[in-house]
Amino acid sequence: MLVAMIALTGLVTLASITVMSIQGGITAVGQDRSKSVALYIAESGAAAGADYLRKNIIAGSYYSTLVEPNNVNPQKPTGIVGNGARPGQAGNLFSTDMNAWYEVEILNNVEDAGFAAGNDTDKIVIIRATGHGPNGATAQVDWHVQADAVTGLGRPCPSYGQKGMAEDGAGRNDCLTTVISTDVATYSPGGP
Amino acid sequence: MTRDRVARSPLTRAVAAAAAVTLAISPATASVTSCPQTSSPSAWSGSFLDTDTTKNGVVYDTGGARLQLQNGAGQFRSQSLGITDFTVYAAVGDFDHDGWDDFAGAGETDAFLRIYRNRTFDNPAPDWNDVNATRVPSFPVVRELIGSNSTSVRRRPIAVGDFNGDGWADVFLAEHRLAETGTLKFMPNNAKLWLNQASNDVDGNPQFAGSYNAMTDGTSLTALGEQAWGGSTTQVLDFNGDRKLDLLYSSSDNGGTIRVFLNTCTLASPQPTPVPAAPAPLLCSNAPTFTYASVLITSMGLGGSGTARSPVFSYTDVDGDGFRDLIASAPACCDNAGDRLRLWKGQSGGGLSSTTQSITFQGGGTAVFVHDFSNDGKPDLVVGTDNNNYNNGHGGELFYWVNDGTATPFAGASTQLSAHNATTLIDYDVGFLFNYDHDPNNTMDVMIADGNHTGSFFIQANRVAASYVECGDAASGTIDLGTLSNSELVVTAARIHPTYTLNGGTIRFYLSNETPENWVLATACPDASGDLCASFPHPVGRTVRWKVEMCSNASHTQTPVLSNVSATFDYTRAREHFRAGVIVNDGVAYLGGFRQPGDRGHLFAVNAGLSNTYWDAATWINNASDSARHIYTSNPAGTARLDFDSDSAAGLLATLEAANVSQAKAVVDWVRSKRFGVGNDGIEKSRVGAIQNSTPAILTKPGFPIWYVYAGATDKLSHQAYQTAQQDRRSLVLFGSKDGMIHAIQTAPTTMTTAPSGAEAWAFVPPKVASGMIADFTNSLVSGATEVASFPDGSPTLADYRKADGTFGTAALIGSGAGGKSLLALDVTSTVTTSGAVVGPTPLWTTVPGEADAGQAYAKPAVARVLIGGAEKFIAIAATGIANENPTAPFTKGRVVAAYEVATGRLLWKFQAQCAVTSDVATFETDDDLEPGAPSFNGYADRAVFADACGYVYKLDPARDLAGGWNDNPGLGAIAVDGAVTSHPDGSSTTTDQFALFSTRLTNHALGAESPIAGTLAVRSDASTRVVLFFGTGGLESHAVTRPNEFYAVYADTGLIRSKMAGACAGSMCEKFYGGAVVTTQQVIFTRTTDPAVGTTSCDTGSTKVAAVSLEPGAGEDFTVDFTQSVASAVMGALYGDAGALYFATLAGDVSRIGTPRSPDAGGDSASTTINPFGTGNESSTTGTVGTNSPLTLLGWRQVY
């Protein structure tokens, strides 16, 4: 159980970092402990789905490749960490004794003008996550999320200062803003 | 299938356009001191050409007052030695100090030990012009150190050398007695030393003191090991550079072992004057003994105990790289053809290469001799055979290989010098090299004998031929600096005017400004004067020499002649020189420099706005008490930390290769002392040595690693936990310096002017650097000035990596740069506690990338997270660079790139470039459609790229575990280069294909000529969705300024040119692209440098244009130039970009900035709460820009059930 809680807590933390604007929390804690665990698992699946969506929105078509016309047979992307992985299978993040897993579907919002055609035009989708907990308990949550500008995934700014900018030696600095070439200075640290 | 689609705003375009104006940086503070000047000319002619040159294959022709090639030798003519003793063990030495080589000989079944004096001078000289004539030898016995007495068979290896440094040869003799009947297992019984009394008797015969125990203790005697056979089983040499002669001794132990026994005598102080020139041994103040120190090699695969498996060997540098190589055979070596005669190449920092070269040989070696028998300046090889343990009927045969000067020097066919005779010459048991006859060319002759069967003793008299050696060289002494000797300056270039005649041969000149020499090929000066010029790639020295390399005509009947050389050099005066780059972090710029003369080092912390120096780390290091410093080293393998202080000297013997504790203590005390600086009255010397090429690295609390955005949830969480755990980690500045240490200096940008900022937290001496310190110490002691050749000089790479327990740590990898060829890995996760207590680093491993074929370790290694067989691995990909001993093509050194597991140092794979690697290594992720293997963005690196001195760019799949094998790369390049050869024990070999992605000579629309590619290869995708490599050519000072260069954008998937920019050529001076490039989301920034004119006596500082071009292609193959900023001096170092500004340093002592730093003063970033730790996104695919850097917005949520 300890392992399970670490995993759950970790994924919630992940969500809080990668889905920084998401507010709210788990308020519907049931009486049944297994049900409660299933709900946590569902929330974990939703967080993993959010992380996946942030990485996979495409300029112009947004989430169109992830939604189906009228939400019939919605997709369950395998790229979502642990999605559909049964206990003991590769990718399942929970200890086997928990008998826990989740599955995540991506739905289009019905208000979307492309709903019938299976196109995403407003960058809004629904993450439907079903958590399967101990003793056959299940829980399901829906997250309605909207992406902002499609910027591409940012590369972290160089962490440690070093020649070649980073440990990959690729001379790459995504955080070096435009250089104003008219502002120049020279200095002699050892004196003239 | 990657792309970069960051829309450039109209405002940005406007700024870029406005900036496309050339503005000059004219630093008033540096304009006076940085002006290069030209020295007065120095000349070599007449006898000075002879007395001030060191010659290999070249002689001074007195009649013509000129240097010319030597006559070829290696024409061996057989002659009987003329002795009748059954001498089975022998060694040569000039015992009577008369200049004629004598020898000592011992019996195998007779206890005698005799001195045979060379009296060949009693016999007339033959007609030396007759190549077949030989002088009759005369070697009467003049002294008997042990009298004749029949014994059982005993093995009695003998060695001769000036062990006590008095200038007279002494005698070592060990005795092994049979331990098991029916075997050849002879175990050590005693070992004795006879010291020469350093005076002859009235007859001119040498005299010796009584013998004494030669070994320091019983352990050392036992360590002589099992001795099975005779031949060349010992060698006298100065193993650790302490100017005392040591002993190598072979045994049958463990399938063949050669051990090192160090001379423990104490050097006399003071030494008698004049002090003998190196490498002659120095005088001891007491009687020497030998102590067992280490194993040179073991597990040679020669077979089991009790058989004739004692290696016969020679441990001498045969490939000219300055490191001793081992050639070994054995009487019963030979079931595997590849094991009959092998070459193990020596490597930097000690030790031998793990791979061998098999030399074609029939087998059964009993004597191995290496010397320049041919007179061409390269060591050749002679090997004699046994008859009784292998290949019966072929004993007593002698074979001669001439060194072909390649990386496989004895791959050619041998010449047989003698043949088996069942009556008169059954086998060879004993031999040595000597110049017995004093022929006019002083060629080395060979004594070889069947000592125990027939008493047949032969001399193979080495005679010269009526032809010239193929090639030879001569190097001058150092140019006298005269009145400049006490001035603060560095030599940046030199010009020579030679007077020579080719006579159908060829001639090339080189120049060097360093000790040891770093030869740069001199090429025609651009002023068409006929002079030859060279700019130095490491303008840090002031010892200027020239070298001539001349080769005879095709038939070797004519030689070039050199009658005069006139030389000048250019020097730059400045108090501080900056050769390494600048690093900026949190509003602070860090840069290391040095002063000349004296090699005094400084590490400055300056505000990013460049107006104020916060501190110089040298101040704290020099003011601190010695006991306040925390200095470490490790065991030779680099896996266990040791304290580097005198109290720990006993534990440092192996690391330092010291003979005893007192020697280790003396070296440690010297290394920790204040020894850098001129030493003028009133100016104290410094503990900090020159910081030459080591661009510092800043260890801070961990941030997001470059693989973070694509990593899986578990890995992200794991690293987040690491970030949290280390959020209070103290920041350190890491760099290497000439004092032999990697320093870690504390820096706290929010409290920059108060302690502990500027204080040294710890320092670490890399073990392979430490192994060269005895030689440096001894040389310094003798010369009276600090002389350092072994030191860490590379730029540290810092990276987070996964430890064996699954947690993260931070590693630092540092190469030796100009100070060696090795690479060291340290764990620096937590070296200082949050309260300031010093814990110190944890050594992980050390290695030499390419082993014996390594160059100087200039290349900065890359660290990559890769996926191998579904498992995450953090690997270091390391190269070295151009070797000092192999500065020009054809390159045999510095070509290997190797990958190691960061956590363990285990070698995963190797790759062999066509030429010496001259760039740093870069890695990247890609999902380009044209890349084989369908790589994807997943947080794991997919490709590694690097370039070489001949203009080839290579691309590899780094995610392979080949157990150290060659990494073939078909499909990752279409230009085949030399394959990598692997030798097998059976004598066969296999070749692994190696390909280049790009070539300046072969790729369409490129230069059409070879040109080095140096520095950082910038890597990034553009709007085409494809990864592009950005690099320029010609970025080495040694590259001729007359040759045009180009800067390229090359698609990483195909190697085709997307864009290019030609460096301008004015007159005969062409711009070079030094230092690599920096790439941002919008721009590629690099330098276009015109070298200073050499030897013109004008104040020419050279010039540089810092150019920024659009990341995206311009029209056709053009770049779109955003701005060009002129700098009034040549910039050769790397650019660094941080938060709105570019930085670079100059050799003239300046650091410059272009752009407005976000935080002009220390701590500005730390104080800000608005800095996004992620850059503007740019990863992309053909489907469009993918992903967002912005968080998702939660519009609502519900629990369905």
Side-chain angles (χ1 to χ4, degrees), chain B residues 804-829:
Chain B
D805 63 4
T807 63
F808 278 96
T810 304
L813 295 105
I814 306 106
S816 295
K821 301 180 175 182
S822 63
L823 174 68
L824 172 72
L826 298 173
D827 183 286
V828 293
T829 304

mmCIF file of all heavy atoms in Angstrom, chain B residues 804-829:
data_model
loop_
_atom_site.group_PDB
_atom_site.id
_atom_site.type_symbol
_atom_site.label_atom_id
_atom_site.label_comp_id
_atom_site.label_asym_id
_atom_site.label_seq_id
_atom_site.Cartn_x
_atom_site.Cartn_y
_atom_site.Cartn_z
ATOM 1 N N ALA B 804 23.421 3.542 -9.717
ATOM 2 C CA ALA B 804 23.038 2.136 -9.725
ATOM 3 C C ALA B 804 21.787 1.886 -8.879
ATOM 4 O O ALA B 804 21.005 0.968 -9.162
ATOM 5 C CB ALA B 804 24.198 1.284 -9.205
ATOM 6 N N ASP B 805 21.593 2.697 -7.856
ATOM 7 C CA ASP B 805 20.428 2.479 -6.987
ATOM 8 C C ASP B 805 19.169 3.152 -7.530
ATOM 9 O O ASP B 805 18.130 3.161 -6.868
ATOM 10 C CB ASP B 805 20.719 2.974 -5.565
ATOM 11 C CG ASP B 805 20.979 4.478 -5.515
ATOM 12 O OD1 ASP B 805 20.859 5.165 -6.565
ATOM 13 O OD2 ASP B 805 21.300 4.983 -4.418
ATOM 14 N N GLY B 806 19.242 3.722 -8.703
ATOM 15 C CA GLY B 806 18.066 4.324 -9.322
ATOM 16 C C GLY B 806 17.884 5.783 -9.024
ATOM 17 O O GLY B 806 17.049 6.446 -9.649
ATOM 18 N N THR B 807 18.633 6.310 -8.084
ATOM 19 C CA THR B 807 18.522 7.731 -7.777
ATOM 20 C C THR B 807 19.413 8.522 -8.720
ATOM 21 O O THR B 807 20.278 7.977 -9.395
ATOM 22 C CB THR B 807 18.949 8.010 -6.329
ATOM 23 O OG1 THR B 807 20.333 7.666 -6.182
ATOM 24 C CG2 THR B 807 18.100 7.202 -5.358
ATOM 25 N N PHE B 808 19.176 9.826 -8.732
ATOM 26 C CA PHE B 808 20.000 10.672 -9.582
ATOM 27 C C PHE B 808 21.205 11.222 -8.826
ATOM 28 O O PHE B 808 21.185 11.352 -7.594
ATOM 29 C CB PHE B 808 19.174 11.845 -10.132
ATOM 30 C CG PHE B 808 18.361 11.470 -11.332
ATOM 31 C CD1 PHE B 808 17.028 11.108 -11.201
ATOM 32 C CD2 PHE B 808 18.939 11.441 -12.590
ATOM 33 C CE1 PHE B 808 16.275 10.746 -12.302
ATOM 34 C CE2 PHE B 808 18.194 11.072 -13.696
ATOM 35 C CZ PHE B 808 16.859 10.724 -13.558
ATOM 36 N N GLY B 809 22.213 11.528 -9.558
ATOM 37 C CA GLY B 809 23.384 12.219 -9.049
ATOM 38 C C GLY B 809 23.881 13.154 -10.130
ATOM 39 O O GLY B 809 23.330 13.207 -11.232
ATOM 40 N N THR B 810 24.922 13.895 -9.823
ATOM 41 C CA THR B 810 25.529 14.782 -10.811
ATOM 42 C C THR B 810 26.982 14.381 -11.011
ATOM 43 O O THR B 810 27.712 14.183 -10.030
ATOM 44 C CB THR B 810 25.449 16.249 -10.353
ATOM 45 O OG1 THR B 810 24.088 16.579 -10.087
ATOM 46 C CG2 THR B 810 25.988 17.186 -11.432
ATOM 47 N N ALA B 811 27.357 14.238 -12.263
ATOM 48 C CA ALA B 811 28.716 13.828 -12.586
ATOM 49 C C ALA B 811 29.459 14.978 -13.256
ATOM 50 O O ALA B 811 28.865 15.800 -13.949
ATOM 51 C CB ALA B 811 28.704 12.623 -13.523
ATOM 52 N N ALA B 812 30.759 15.007 -13.040
ATOM 53 C CA ALA B 812 31.650 15.932 -13.752
ATOM 54 C C ALA B 812 32.669 15.094 -14.513
ATOM 55 O O ALA B 812 33.276 14.186 -13.943
ATOM 56 C CB ALA B 812 32.362 16.859 -12.768
ATOM 57 N N LEU B 813 32.796 15.381 -15.793
ATOM 58 C CA LEU B 813 33.786 14.673 -16.617
ATOM 59 C C LEU B 813 34.781 15.689 -17.141
ATOM 60 O O LEU B 813 34.385 16.698 -17.736
ATOM 61 C CB LEU B 813 33.105 13.947 -17.773
ATOM 62 C CG LEU B 813 32.166 12.829 -17.343
ATOM 63 C CD1 LEU B 813 30.728 13.269 -17.484
ATOM 64 C CD2 LEU B 813 32.423 11.571 -18.132
ATOM 65 N N ILE B 814 36.060 15.407 -16.920
ATOM 66 C CA ILE B 814 37.090 16.381 -17.277
ATOM 67 C C ILE B 814 38.226 15.680 -18.007
ATOM 68 O O ILE B 814 38.800 14.708 -17.511
ATOM 69 C CB ILE B 814 37.661 17.092 -16.025
ATOM 70 C CG1 ILE B 814 36.536 17.710 -15.205
ATOM 71 C CG2 ILE B 814 38.651 18.180 -16.442
ATOM 72 C CD1 ILE B 814 36.223 16.976 -13.948
ATOM 73 N N GLY B 815 38.556 16.181 -19.194
ATOM 74 C CA GLY B 815 39.694 15.668 -19.936
ATOM 75 C C GLY B 815 40.958 16.411 -19.555
ATOM 76 O O GLY B 815 40.924 17.445 -18.892
ATOM 77 N N SER B 816 42.070 15.880 -20.014
ATOM 78 C CA SER B 816 43.360 16.467 -19.647
ATOM 79 C C SER B 816 43.789 17.592 -20.583
ATOM 80 O O SER B 816 44.721 18.323 -20.267
ATOM 81 C CB SER B 816 44.449 15.386 -19.617
ATOM 82 O OG SER B 816 44.180 14.461 -18.610
ATOM 83 N N GLY B 817 43.180 17.704 -21.744
ATOM 84 C CA GLY B 817 43.536 18.775 -22.658
ATOM 85 C C GLY B 817 45.003 18.738 -23.031
ATOM 86 O O GLY B 817 45.564 17.676 -23.341
ATOM 87 N N ALA B 818 45.642 19.899 -22.967
ATOM 88 C CA ALA B 818 47.059 19.963 -23.327
ATOM 89 C C ALA B 818 47.924 19.204 -22.336
ATOM 90 O O ALA B 818 49.078 18.896 -22.634
ATOM 91 C CB ALA B 818 47.503 21.421 -23.396
ATOM 92 N N GLY B 819 47.378 18.884 -21.166
ATOM 93 C CA GLY B 819 48.170 18.256 -20.108
ATOM 94 C C GLY B 819 48.097 16.753 -20.098
ATOM 95 O O GLY B 819 48.548 16.123 -19.131
ATOM 96 N N GLY B 820 47.546 16.130 -21.134
ATOM 97 C CA GLY B 820 47.487 14.675 -21.149
ATOM 98 C C GLY B 820 46.422 14.172 -22.088
ATOM 99 O O GLY B 820 45.888 14.918 -22.920
ATOM 100 N N LYS B 821 46.079 12.908 -21.952
ATOM 101 C CA LYS B 821 45.149 12.276 -22.876
ATOM 102 C C LYS B 821 44.008 11.571 -22.161
ATOM 103 O O LYS B 821 43.217 10.878 -22.787
ATOM 104 C CB LYS B 821 45.910 11.267 -23.750
ATOM 105 C CG LYS B 821 47.030 11.909 -24.565
ATOM 106 C CD LYS B 821 47.767 10.911 -25.420
ATOM 107 C CE LYS B 821 48.797 11.625 -26.303
ATOM 108 N NZ LYS B 821 49.518 10.704 -27.189
ATOM 109 N N SER B 822 43.930 11.732 -20.873
ATOM 110 C CA SER B 822 42.979 10.943 -20.098
ATOM 111 C C SER B 822 41.698 11.711 -19.809
ATOM 112 O O SER B 822 41.602 12.923 -20.016
ATOM 113 C CB SER B 822 43.616 10.504 -18.778
ATOM 114 O OG SER B 822 43.940 11.637 -17.987
ATOM 115 N N LEU B 823 40.724 10.975 -19.336
ATOM 116 C CA LEU B 823 39.415 11.512 -18.955
ATOM 117 C C LEU B 823 39.094 11.014 -17.552
ATOM 118 O O LEU B 823 39.317 9.842 -17.244
ATOM 119 C CB LEU B 823 38.352 11.020 -19.942
ATOM 120 C CG LEU B 823 36.897 11.357 -19.639
ATOM 121 C CD1 LEU B 823 36.646 12.843 -19.780
ATOM 122 C CD2 LEU B 823 35.968 10.573 -20.570
ATOM 123 N N LEU B 824 38.577 11.894 -16.728
ATOM 124 C CA LEU B 824 38.233 11.544 -15.349
ATOM 125 C C LEU B 824 36.757 11.817 -15.121
ATOM 126 O O LEU B 824 36.228 12.824 -15.586
ATOM 127 C CB LEU B 824 39.058 12.378 -14.368
ATOM 128 C CG LEU B 824 38.682 12.253 -12.894
ATOM 129 C CD1 LEU B 824 39.099 10.902 -12.342
ATOM 130 C CD2 LEU B 824 39.305 13.382 -12.078
ATOM 131 N N ALA B 825 36.095 10.912 -14.400
ATOM 132 C CA ALA B 825 34.699 11.113 -14.012
ATOM 133 C C ALA B 825 34.597 11.175 -12.498
ATOM 134 O O ALA B 825 35.113 10.302 -11.801
ATOM 135 C CB ALA B 825 33.828 9.979 -14.552
ATOM 136 N N LEU B 826 33.947 12.224 -12.018
ATOM 137 C CA LEU B 826 33.717 12.405 -10.583
ATOM 138 C C LEU B 826 32.223 12.521 -10.336
ATOM 139 O O LEU B 826 31.505 13.101 -11.151
ATOM 140 C CB LEU B 826 34.379 13.689 -10.077
ATOM 141 C CG LEU B 826 35.892 13.841 -10.179
ATOM 142 C CD1 LEU B 826 36.288 15.264 -9.772
ATOM 143 C CD2 LEU B 826 36.587 12.832 -9.283
ATOM 144 N N ASP B 827 31.773 11.996 -9.206
ATOM 145 C CA ASP B 827 30.425 12.302 -8.755
ATOM 146 C C ASP B 827 30.512 13.529 -7.872
ATOM 147 O O ASP B 827 31.251 13.547 -6.873
ATOM 148 C CB ASP B 827 29.826 11.118 -7.987
ATOM 149 C CG ASP B 827 28.394 11.405 -7.579
ATOM 150 O OD1 ASP B 827 28.202 12.211 -6.643
ATOM 151 O OD2 ASP B 827 27.465 10.856 -8.203
ATOM 152 N N VAL B 828 29.781 14.565 -8.251
ATOM 153 C CA VAL B 828 29.846 15.830 -7.513
ATOM 154 C C VAL B 828 28.474 16.202 -6.970
ATOM 155 O O VAL B 828 28.159 17.374 -6.795
ATOM 156 C CB VAL B 828 30.407 16.966 -8.407
ATOM 157 C CG1 VAL B 828 31.860 16.707 -8.743
ATOM 158 C CG2 VAL B 828 29.582 17.109 -9.691
ATOM 159 N N THR B 829 27.677 15.190 -6.704
ATOM 160 C CA THR B 829 26.314 15.429 -6.250
ATOM 161 C C THR B 829 26.279 16.266 -4.979
ATOM 162 O O THR B 829 25.543 17.246 -4.876
ATOM 163 C CB THR B 829 25.607 14.090 -5.984
ATOM 164 O OG1 THR B 829 25.657 13.303 -7.170
ATOM 165 C CG2 THR B 829 24.177 14.306 -5.550
#
